[in-house]
Amino acid sequence: MQRQARLAADIGGTFTDIVLEDGPKRWSGKVLTTSQAPELGVIEGIELVFTESGLRPEDVAVFIHGTTLATNALIERKGARTAFITTEGFRDIVEQGYEKRFDHYDLMIDRPAPLVPRTLRFELRERLSSEGEELVALEESSVEPLARRILAAGATSVAVGFLHAYAHDRHETRVRELLRRHLPEDVSVCISSEVAPEIREFERFSTTIANAYVRPLMASYLYRLRDRLKAMRLRAPLFLMMSGGGLTTLETAARFPIRLVESGPAGGAILAAQIAAECALPRVLSFDMGGTTAKICLLSDGEPERARKFEIARAYRDMKGSGIPVRIPVIEMVEIGAGGGSIARVDKLNRITVGPDSAGSTPGPVCYGRGGTEPAVTDANLVLGKIDPAYFAGGKIALDEAAARAALRKSIGEPMDLKDFWPAAGVTEIVEENMANAARVHAIERGHDIAACTMIAFGGGAPLHACRLAEKVGVSTIIVPKGAGVGSAIGFLRAPVAYEITRSAVIALERFDAARVNALLAAMTRDARAVVAPAIGRTRPTVQIIADCRYTGQGHEIRVSVPVRRLTAADGAKLKAAFEKLYEQVYGLRIPNQEAEAITWSVTVSAPASRPKRAAKAARRPAPKPRGRRLVYDPALGRRLEVPVYSRFDMTPGASIKGPAIIAEDETSTIVGARFRASINSLGYIILERM
């Protein structure tokens, strides 16, 4: 009988996580990320789980992959040398940006430099109006000499963005045809009407340039990985996780790699959504902490909040407007430099600061013994007793506690006159406060009461800090799922094959043009179905339609659900009523007698979601015997004490223990705070409740 195993790989900044599932059985592993050749770490991790499971590559039915490679290339400016072609007179749009300061009070702010310098930005005579009228004919004779200039400048990728191409793409399409005649095949060409067909030319141009910038790198990596997988006889279909929470094919990912920038965190949000459905949780705070960053995401009624805009490589920590804007479908979350590898130091004001820079996998925290000299959060957790030095990453990485203690003493203890374990306690307190502050701000911005949420903690670092973070933000219940240390990779296996298409079309809701909207949505649905059809076969897909609405004249929109049926003129009033209800929820008021409009429409076609298994009440069982005891610092008590260490594999549904305690497993450990009780529910999840 042929097996139907499912495989997932998540490349993070520090670790590459691998998960293999075969029916109810699961094997997982962590290996250090091989930054220079990421596919090597993926292959190493796959071989590891095959060895542990006894399965073969031929047993795998599907392989799902997420990676931070595109994100890192944009942050580190290691993408292709890219040229940009735009309408005459508009080549400086990408440098002018929003024409406003993201920080009004900092006279010395540094804006992020454009990915394409001015010397590689070129203009063509052409101009279409927003209605499609040709105001200036395309000067086709200029394309060939322009192609020669691009080659002479050493560019290996080209982005094309013209005014109003989001609605009328004929000039962009024609320029691409001409460039293909005059440029070598290995030079990539991206056009904005395909990458980001939405209004607001700065964001559309920025997204297209970012896609062109990473496309040669990502396409090369993805095809190298495909070849490596074939060489090891793993010929299962390969799908890529997208930032919006859906899966797409390798070919589509290679064309639009910008959609992969938040693929890892998206997997975590999908896992949180499944757990919310299983446990019937109306409001959830998803907390994902890995080796490089921590991610906070809010979910309502089992669904993560989604957005159409994201900023990459912010020059100022948590400062909106200081990064590179891209318009892609993305799960709404806040991400901060607070991971296990985040570096701790004392600043000029004699304060402990943590991050946003990370030691990564090379050299890694000091305790890794790979050449790191600056202490990181993992070093602090080790010194505080939260991590077993002999069993880190399932025993695959031996940690040097003495080296971590010495580094913390030198970098933190001596400048601040802190003795013993207090430098480590200071580091963890600061990183937890950073995460708590980010969670509070994110909840306030989205109009949520964070104290009413249940926290779901996963990632290698989250279970170590979840109880303290919950105390800081007022959350009473925490869930730590099985396999929490590789949670995002597990989330990949729960994600549906899906694709979202977006188009801008300004429609007044008071004068709703149903015929125009129906024609637009029908074309978008057809195009999205064409992308997912090869992956789902004859399975009937689900369709979701969203309209970005605003009061006329405003510059920001709210996402409103649209019925999946043929719309009529009466639906304009219904959409406005739904918009105003959401507007009041977010901003606390409605604007009377003010017209509203929908400016952007999105259609998502996806494979139908499977029904989650519901958690049931578990009969009470006695707690297992602890495997040992360890000296651990508890911040709620403000002191160190000896606590029992339980193995998660010994704790069956219904078992319950009181904190302080440690529940250890292969990829992470759950620290049960002194004010918490831990129990195991019917699905094997750890439930932490504040006493």
Side-chain angles (χ1 to χ4, degrees), residues 296 318 334 336 430-444 450 469 472-473:
I296 306 291
D318 301 332
V334 60
I336 63 171
I430 292 299
V431 77
E432 286 159 354
E433 185 57 40
N434 288 346
M435 293 186 291
N437 185 60
R440 293 186 199 104
V441 171
H442 186 59
I444 291 169
I450 197 170
L469 180 61
K472 286 178 175 290
V473 300

Side-chain angles (χ1 to χ4, degrees), residues 349-603:
L349 297 178
N350 207 37
R351 304 172 304 182
I352 298 174
T353 63
V354 180
D357 51 331
S358 171
S361 60
T362 304
V366 174
C367 60
Y368 283 14
R370 296 166 61 90
T373 57
E374 296 180 287
V377 173
T378 296
D379 295 307
N381 283 326
L382 178 62
V383 169
L384 295 177
K386 296 181 179 182
I387 297 173
D388 184 345
Y391 201 62
F392 186 70
K396 300 178 184 69
I397 302 174
L399 301 183
D400 187 342
E401 184 176 350
R405 191 179 296 274
L408 284 160
R409 181 173 60 249
K410 179 181 178 181
S411 297
I412 308 294
E414 292 176 2
M416 302 197 69
D417 195 26
L418 296 173
K419 309 295 183 183
D420 199 14
F421 63 88
W422 289 108
V427 170
T428 58
E429 186 69 15
I430 292 299
V431 77
E432 286 159 354
E433 185 57 40
N434 288 346
M435 293 186 291
N437 185 60
R440 293 186 199 104
V441 171
H442 186 59
I444 291 169
E445 288 179 344
R446 308 307 301 171
H448 287 265
D449 176 10
I450 197 170
C453 295
T454 297
M455 180 186 294
I456 298 177
F458 53 91
L464 298 170
H465 299 272
C467 284
R468 185 59 172 162
L469 180 61
E471 288 175 337
K472 286 178 175 290
V473 300
V475 167
S476 300
T477 304
I478 306 165
I479 296 177
V480 182
K482 292 191 294 185
V486 291
S488 288
I490 295 173
F492 293 172
L493 298 176
R494 308 292 177 263
V497 175
Y499 196 72
E500 180 176 343
I501 287 181
T502 302
R503 297 279 187 273
S504 284
V506 180
I507 304 291
L509 299 185
E510 283 78 4
R511 297 172 297 282
F512 191 66
D513 189 344
R516 182 184 174 193
V517 173
N518 285 329
L520 175 69
L521 296 179
M524 292 167 64
T525 303
R526 183 176 62 250
D527 292 346
R529 284 178 185 268
V531 174
V532 303
I536 67 174
R538 296 182 179 179
T539 304
R540 185 179 179 85
T542 61
V543 178
Q544 181 188 43
I545 302 174
I546 299 291
D548 290 354
C549 300
R550 67 185 185 187
Y551 283 119
T552 302
Q554 288 185 329
H556 301 279
E557 297 82 44
I558 289 179
R559 292 166 58 86
V560 179
S561 294
V562 178
V564 184
R565 56 172 170 75
R566 190 163 186 82
L567 302 176
T568 66
D571 285 306
K574 295 177 183 177
L575 286 176
K576 183 176 182 181
F579 159 70
E580 292 195 310
K581 181 179 179 181
L582 290 171
Y583 191 93
E584 185 174 22
Q585 178 182 326
V586 174
Y587 298 109
L589 77 161
R590 303 185 187 200
I591 303 178
N593 305 317
Q594 177 66 42
E595 292 190 347
E597 60 189 5
I599 67 164
T600 300
W601 306 80
S602 65
V603 173

Side-chain angles (χ1 to χ4, degrees), residues 92-100 111 202:
D92 291 325
I93 285 287
V94 295
E95 199 145 5
Q96 293 169 343
Y98 299 111
E99 297 184 351
K100 65 180 181 181
R111 295 183 63 250
F202 168 51

Side-chain angles (χ1 to χ4, degrees), residues 241-261:
M241 187 76 192
M242 294 187 296
S243 57
L247 303 178
T248 193
T249 60
L250 182 144
E251 291 74 21
T252 301
R255 284 185 65 205
F256 304 113
I258 195 63
R259 291 197 173 206
L260 306 181
V261 292

Side-chain angles (χ1 to χ4, degrees), residues 163-372:
L163 289 188
H164 303 301
Y166 65 88
H168 309 283
D169 64 354
R170 60 183 185 273
H171 281 187
E172 281 193 354
T173 303
R174 179 57 178 161
V175 168
R176 179 174 58 182
E177 292 173 1
L178 295 171
L179 287 174
R180 287 268 56 98
R181 294 181 191 175
H182 304 300
L183 292 175
E185 288 187 7
D186 60 350
V187 175
S188 173
V189 180
C190 301
I191 59 176
S192 73
S193 52
E194 288 185 349
V195 177
E198 299 184 47
I199 64 169
R200 298 188 174 98
E201 62 272 12
F202 168 51
E203 293 169 358
R204 177 161 52 90
F205 293 173
S206 178
T207 307
T208 308
I209 289 170
N211 193 74
Y213 187 76
V214 298
R215 188 152 90 170
L217 173 76
M218 287 302 297
S220 173
Y221 163 70
L222 291 172
Y223 291 128
R224 288 200 316 271
L225 177 62
R226 180 195 61 185
D227 293 342
R228 286 264 184 177
L229 295 172
K230 285 183 178 179
M232 67 183 301
R233 303 190 311 281
L234 203 164
R235 296 183 173 85
L238 171 60
F239 294 104
L240 278 297
M241 187 76 192
M242 294 187 296
S243 57
L247 303 178
T248 193
T249 60
L250 182 144
E251 291 74 21
T252 301
R255 284 185 65 205
F256 304 113
I258 195 63
R259 291 197 173 206
L260 306 181
V261 292
E262 285 292 281
S263 60
I270 295 299
L271 173 66
Q274 184 201 31
I275 295 168
E278 291 171 338
C279 301
L281 304 174
R283 289 177 292 276
V284 164
L285 174 72
S286 167
F287 171 37
D288 175 6
M289 184 179 180
T292 305
T293 60
K295 284 76 68 175
I296 306 291
C297 177
L298 293 166
L299 294 85
S300 299
D301 298 324
E303 282 295 319
E305 297 197 2
R306 288 176 163 82
R308 291 279 323 148
K309 181 181 173 184
F310 178 68
E311 277 188 21
I312 303 169
R314 282 180 173 169
Y316 286 63
R317 183 175 180 171
D318 301 332
M319 183 73 73
K320 288 184 178 180
S322 67
I324 301 169
V326 293
R327 291 198 71 85
I328 55 173
V330 64
I331 290 177
E332 185 79 64
M333 64 180 70
V334 60
E335 185 170 3
I336 63 171
S342 295
I343 295 172
R345 54 176 63 91
V346 175
D347 68 8
K348 293 179 181 179
L349 297 178
N350 207 37
R351 304 172 304 182
I352 298 174
T353 63
V354 180
D357 51 331
S358 171
S361 60
T362 304
V366 174
C367 60
Y368 283 14
R370 296 166 61 90

